Amino acid sequence: MDGRELVRSMKVVGSVQGLRAVRSAWRQRRTDARELAPRGPERARVPGPVTGAESLPGGGTVRFARAELHVCVMVGGAVFWGWDGAEPLPSYALADVPPEPDPRAGLEPDKDGGWRVVSERVTVAISRNGGVEVRTPGGVVLRRELPPRWWEPVAGGPARWVQRTEVPADARFFGLGGRASGPRLRDGAYRLWNTDPGGGFGPGDDPLYVTMPVQLVVADAGTHLAFHDNSWDGRVTLREGEEGAGSGHDRPGTSELRMDGGPLRCWVVTGTPARVLHSWTALSGAPVPPPSWALGPQHARWGFGSAREVRRVVAGYRERGLPLSALHLDIDHYDAHQVFTVDRERFPDLPGLAEELRADGVRLVSIVDPAVKAERGNAVYESGRAVGQAGAFVRDGRGREVLGVVWPGECVYPDFTDPAVRAWWGALYEERLAQGFAGVWHDMNEPVSFAPFGDTTLPRSARHQLEGRGGDHREAHNVYGLTMARAGYEGLRRLRPDERPFLFSRSGWAGMQRYGGTWSGDVSTGWPGLRASLSLVLGLGLCGVPYSGPDVGGFDGNPTPELYLRWFQLGAYLPLFRTHAAIDAGRREPWEFGPEVLEHARAALGGRERLRPYFVTLAQLARLTGAPYARPVWWGSPEDRALRDCEDTFLLGDALLVAPVLERGTDRRAVRLPRGRWYDTATEKAYEGPGQVLLDAPLSRIPVLARAGAVIPIRGEDGRPELEVWAPAAGRSGGGLVVQDPGEGPRKAEAEAEVQVERYTSRLVNGEVRVERVTDEGAVEAEWPVRVRGR
């Protein structure tokens, strides 16, 4: 237990729920001691020497003395391998059945007694001792998996295993879900166990709410993504490589993955960053776009307290001419914190309030926690007990409901790995819709049970359905938030088929983008927390989750006016733009920080609204291509080593480069540019990349640059859509993509045939900028008004 955990433990023990939490933690440990047998003596195993092979479409099976490896290259170039019978399915990460094997590829003998599979995009080589190499078509090694090792209990039980990997010496690691210390992952250990850190967190805290065994590796040789499809507890230890000086040898980068159980199976996709993310989301599912209103500014606070306070805050926005798209109600609007209820004293007419706000352009969004108060007479609890033969809630090995302690008191937890439970839970959202809510945010779904010491989750021996396979919490824990998101999303789809669901979740796993997005959770108020906010968004985007954002201003504590404003300016360029704070933290309304901050925040909000059509385009392109809205600056130039190490700027789509201020007292900052010409959007001065420039960053704004030739859809001064075009360099052309808002219906939002991607080009003709739309019949004049800048 570290100092932070000790502080939290003391708070819990001293709270109203303290005694219950202590009893719950003691009960959890006793249950695990009874249900989980000690591992006892173990037998180590390695594959051993190769003994034979069988060629199959796309690859084949290679047999070793003590293990068996199946390798397959799929249509599209994705590579799968699994040891000892592990197949792609069943999987919580995959959106559907995996791709078909590539019929042109097959297993063939390789040198030194090994085997290989050669395809158009990738070559996979298997050594005679069980090592696996992924190579480019030219033979350059992108990833070298050393022979794995298993430790199997002699008395039976799940085998733990380790897989060690080597990558090129110049490679950089990214991903692994939401990591506060990223986006580039330095040397160190990263745990794969979704965790509530128990209060505000900063860059040094790990793990957090969303962990994924998804690793993106960028090197001179190419970019690849590796996903070990295993939801058990594990740990990844990374060490960057080092290039030898002079005639010295390179030291490769290394990754070591240790898992406590589960299958050893892996997917690898290769190519440019754009191709890698497209291939990854083809496997794990297309990101569902949020409704267009959810791309506007949103406001939340734990502790609004009453309908009167909600009206006061919304009126404050309107009176000051500040745009607001949504307001979020936290657990304090529930009756005694019980989910799917309303405190009628403080919110006597919640549907009327929601209708009133919607008429003013503001939607209400409701928090939803998974824990259900275990109390006879509680309608949700009673209806859950009636689901199926065993009820809806997680049970222990003796068939008794597992109890934990959360906000309502002693609670039970729905088993979202059971399809019948997901259907029951999804139907409960009808109550939220009847109250007038337009969307939901899932919280406390790691899942959390308050504890004065140790793990704040369910007993590892707790039983889950796991889609009928059966298993325990060691396998189900990391997918708990993912399956809850699925239950909520599918329920909203059934209940309101003509509206696009809006849902984001604090916890999740690979594939969570199929149901919505996520947010930072309880990021600490402070400059380190501000930096962690950017790291989380960029890292999650590289794992396939493009819609996310932080608690602007930090969750706990009271930000200074300068910190709040710099956080606000960053948030205005991130996908989810939401202010939020704890019940005992300061307010987050812009006018609470003085007139100067208010005016600068007004400018940031106006800039966000101006870019709303661009965010709509990015949301739809993320669904079609997997490309995140917010991207590392190396996205288009992964071969640029300086850009690979740049972590304090990011690209918003292909057109804009955003350089937030992340340090106190900064009014100028260095900005590293990718190749090409870039315009400062405030001064319209042009800069040439690659290279580094020093730009003004007054308190009124952060540096934002536009790529020369970019065509960006914006909202004009009259509220109508326009095209903003930044003049291309002489002899160069540019362009951009535009997707208009397809409307609320999910069919329009999700059927590719219904979404039209408009392609525009820009070029200089006789010194004038010409913008044309590219169609099947040829180039035509742009239909939207065009505003040219940078001339």
Side-chain angles (χ1 to χ4, degrees):
M1 179 186 299
D2 60 20
R4 178 198 186 98
E5 290 174 330
L6 180 61
V7 170
R8 175 183 171 137
S9 299
M10 294 174 65
K11 289 181 178 179
V12 170
V13 171
S15 71
V16 174
Q17 303 287 7
L19 182 58
R20 289 174 176 169
V22 170
R23 187 170 58 206
S24 173
W26 175 79
R27 185 169 53 226
Q28 170 182 325
R29 292 194 172 192
R30 187 179 65 173
T31 299
D32 280 346
R34 182 182 65 245
E35 303 290 342
L36 297 179
R39 294 189 65 88
E42 296 179 315
R43 180 184 298 109
R45 175 168 63 93
V46 295
V50 66
T51 60
E54 177 186 1
S55 182
L56 299 168
T61 300
V62 181
R63 299 180 182 87
F64 300 86
R66 293 176 292 276
E68 185 174 280
L69 174 67
H70 177 68
V71 179
C72 188
V73 178
M74 307 295 182
V75 172
V79 179
F80 171 83
W81 67 79
W83 285 93
D84 295 339
E87 296 290 340
L89 297 176
S91 170
Y92 280 106
L94 300 191
D96 205 345
V97 296
E100 292 293 321
D102 186 345
R104 299 169 298 175
L107 199 63
E108 58 186 52
D110 198 9
K111 61 183 180 180
D112 297 328
W115 296 82
R116 68 179 182 180
V117 181
V118 180
S119 69
E120 181 180 3
R121 294 183 181 176
V122 68
T123 295
V124 183
I126 302 99
S127 77
R128 62 184 179 183
N129 294 313
V132 180
E133 286 187 355
V134 179
R135 304 170 182 165
T136 68
V140 178
V141 176
L142 295 175
R143 187 176 187 89
R144 176 181 292 112
E145 305 275 3
L146 304 180
R149 180 181 293 267
W150 296 264
W151 288 269
E152 300 165 331
V154 174
R160 58 189 181 94
W161 51 264
V162 61
Q163 176 69 75
R164 295 183 175 91
T165 304
E166 295 179 349
V167 297
D170 65 286
R172 295 291 182 260
F173 297 101
F174 301 87
L176 297 182
R179 304 288 169 171
S181 60
R184 172 185 163 195
L185 301 178
R186 264 56 172 205
D187 295 1
Y190 301 86
R191 192 179 176 195
L192 298 170
W193 188 254
N194 293 349
T195 302
D196 172 16
F201 67 85
D205 293 298
D206 187 271
L208 299 176
Y209 314 96
V210 181
T211 67
M212 301 181 194
V214 178
Q215 188 180 100
L216 191 81
V217 182
V218 185
D220 288 353
T223 300
H224 75 271
L225 179 147
F227 168 55
H228 286 85
D229 194 350
N230 184 319
S231 61
W232 285 62
D233 192 359
R235 190 175 298 273
V236 179
T237 302
L238 301 177
R239 185 184 181 192
E240 292 183 347
E242 183 177 331
E243 293 182 296
S247 60
H249 294 291
D250 288 351
R251 177 175 59 80
T254 60
S255 170
E256 180 184 272
L257 173 60
R258 289 182 177 270
M259 300 299 292
D260 286 350
L264 174 43
R265 54 183 179 175
C266 183
W267 289 90
V268 172
V269 291
T270 66
T272 64
R275 182 184 289 276
V276 165
L277 264 293
H278 186 255
S279 298
W280 169 235
T281 51
L283 286 171
S284 62
V288 58
S292 59
W293 59 262
L295 295 168
Q298 305 177 50
H299 186 77
R301 190 169 82 237
W302 178 14
F304 278 123
S306 67
R308 179 180 179 181
E309 176 67 4
V310 168
R311 289 188 174 96
R312 186 194 71 81
V313 170
V314 173
Y317 273 87
R318 292 297 177 252
E319 290 166 4
R320 294 168 176 82
L322 305 177
L324 181 66
S325 291
L327 188 138
H328 299 222
L329 296 188
D330 212 314
I331 56 173
D332 51 294
H333 86 278
Y334 282 131
D335 182 9
H337 295 156
Q338 295 184 68
V339 68
F340 302 120
T341 64
V342 176
D343 186 326
R344 299 295 179 184
E345 289 188 11
R346 293 184 294 168
F347 293 89
D349 182 16
L350 191 51
L353 174 64
E355 184 177 356
E356 171 191 327
L357 296 183
R358 187 182 283 249
D360 202 24
V362 179
R363 269 77 168 183
L364 276 184
V365 176
S366 171
I367 193 171
V368 174
D369 288 356
V372 175
K373 187 168 185 178
E375 182 178 67
R376 292 291 184 147
N378 175 4
V380 177
Y381 178 59
E382 296 291 0
S383 68
R385 286 170 60 89
V387 174
Q389 293 183 344
F393 305 113
V394 176
R395 294 178 178 269
D396 63 19
R398 297 183 178 182
R400 299 174 302 184
E401 292 172 345
V402 171
L403 295 176
V405 177
V406 201
W407 302 116
E410 283 200 323
C411 293
V412 290
Y413 298 80
D415 180 7
F416 297 114
T417 68
D418 184 340
V421 175
R422 290 198 294 268
W424 161 74
W425 185 263
L428 296 176
Y429 287 71
E430 184 174 11
E431 182 273 341
R432 295 286 87 186
L433 296 177
Q435 298 294 345
F437 289 107
V440 296
W441 52 299
H442 290 172
D443 199 5
M444 307 294 286
N445 58 338
E446 288 71 36
V448 173
S449 174
F450 296 154
F453 51 82
D455 213 343
T456 56
T457 185
L458 302 186
R460 295 181 176 232
S461 59
R463 303 299 300 171
H464 292 262
Q465 286 290 326
L466 290 168
E467 316 307 318
R469 294 181 289 112
D472 60 39
H473 197 67
R474 292 174 295 179
E475 182 178 357
H477 174 84
N478 279 337
V479 299
Y480 192 88
L482 170 72
T483 51
M484 181 185 178
R486 178 179 178 180
Y489 178 80
E490 291 177 347
L492 292 170
R493 283 287 307 270
R494 288 191 298 268
L495 293 166
R496 293 283 175 86
D498 294 328
E499 292 186 10
R500 206 181 320 166
F502 177 55
L503 183 153
F504 62 102
S505 172
R506 190 171 79 170
S507 183
W509 201 61
M512 65 182 297
Q513 72 275 1
R514 301 193 295 266
Y515 313 116
T518 184
W519 91 103
S520 67
D522 303 341
V523 61
S524 289
T525 297
W527 293 95
L530 171 59
R531 185 175 291 273
S533 296
L534 178 58
S535 299
L536 286 162
V537 173
L538 293 178
L540 286 162
L542 294 175
C543 291
V545 186
Y547 184 80
S548 69
D551 286 346
V552 168
F555 180 71
D556 59 351
N558 297 287
T560 64
E562 181 191 6
L563 173 61
Y564 173 81
L565 180 59
R566 292 310 196 186
W567 216 318
F568 201 88
Q569 291 166 336
L570 167 62
Y573 291 95
L574 296 178
L576 171 59
F577 181 22
R578 183 183 84 146
T579 54
H580 185 44
I583 193 169
D584 55 350
R587 297 182 183 274
R588 293 292 188 268
E589 292 83 45
W591 56 87
E592 298 289 345
F593 295 86
E596 183 180 17
V597 170
L598 173 60
E599 288 308 305
H600 299 333
R602 188 194 317 277
L605 286 167
R608 174 65 174 228
E609 288 298 280
R610 184 172 177 271
L611 288 174
R612 183 81 73 88
Y614 187 48
F615 276 95
V616 169
T617 292
L618 294 178
Q620 291 297 329
L621 292 178
R623 182 183 68 82
L624 296 172
T625 69
Y629 313 21
R631 311 166 185 177
V633 287
W634 48 258
W635 179 262
S637 306
E639 72 284 351
D640 188 329
R641 295 189 178 187
L643 292 180
R644 293 208 295 260
D645 293 342
C646 181
E647 301 177 280
D648 60 356
T649 59
F650 64 97
L651 297 174
L652 183 61
D654 285 331
L656 298 177
L657 187 152
V658 183
V661 172
L662 304 177
E663 296 179 356
R664 179 189 296 111
T666 300
D667 60 6
R668 301 193 79 193
R669 60 150 298 175
V671 179
R672 184 161 293 280
L673 302 178
R675 63 174 177 263
R677 175 173 295 178
W678 295 85
Y679 294 96
D680 186 325
T681 57
T683 65
E684 300 195 15
K685 182 178 178 179
Y687 299 90
E688 297 294 333
Q692 185 168 280
V693 296
L694 190 63
L695 299 180
D696 290 333
L699 197 60
S700 59
R701 61 179 173 84
I702 58 175
V704 178
L705 297 100
R707 190 188 301 270
V711 179
I712 307 172
I714 64 169
R715 182 178 289 176
E717 295 180 0
D718 60 358
R720 297 180 180 179
E722 296 179 354
L723 295 178
E724 182 172 85
V725 183
W726 290 87
R732 306 290 297 271
S733 60
L737 302 176
V738 176
V739 182
Q740 299 189 46
D741 186 5
E744 287 297 317
R747 292 181 181 176
K748 290 182 180 180
E750 295 172 10
E752 185 171 348
E754 295 289 338
V755 176
Q756 294 186 354
V757 179
E758 301 174 5
R759 185 181 299 274
Y760 291 88
T761 62
S762 64
R763 54 195 177 98
L764 288 175
V765 178
N766 298 325
E768 295 293 323
V769 177
R770 177 175 295 180
V771 179
E772 295 175 320
R773 180 182 173 189
V774 179
T775 70
D776 293 340
E777 289 75 33
V780 298
E781 248 186 76
E783 298 176 1
W784 289 12
V786 175
R787 180 191 301 268
V788 178
R789 300 186 64 186
R791 286 185 294 185

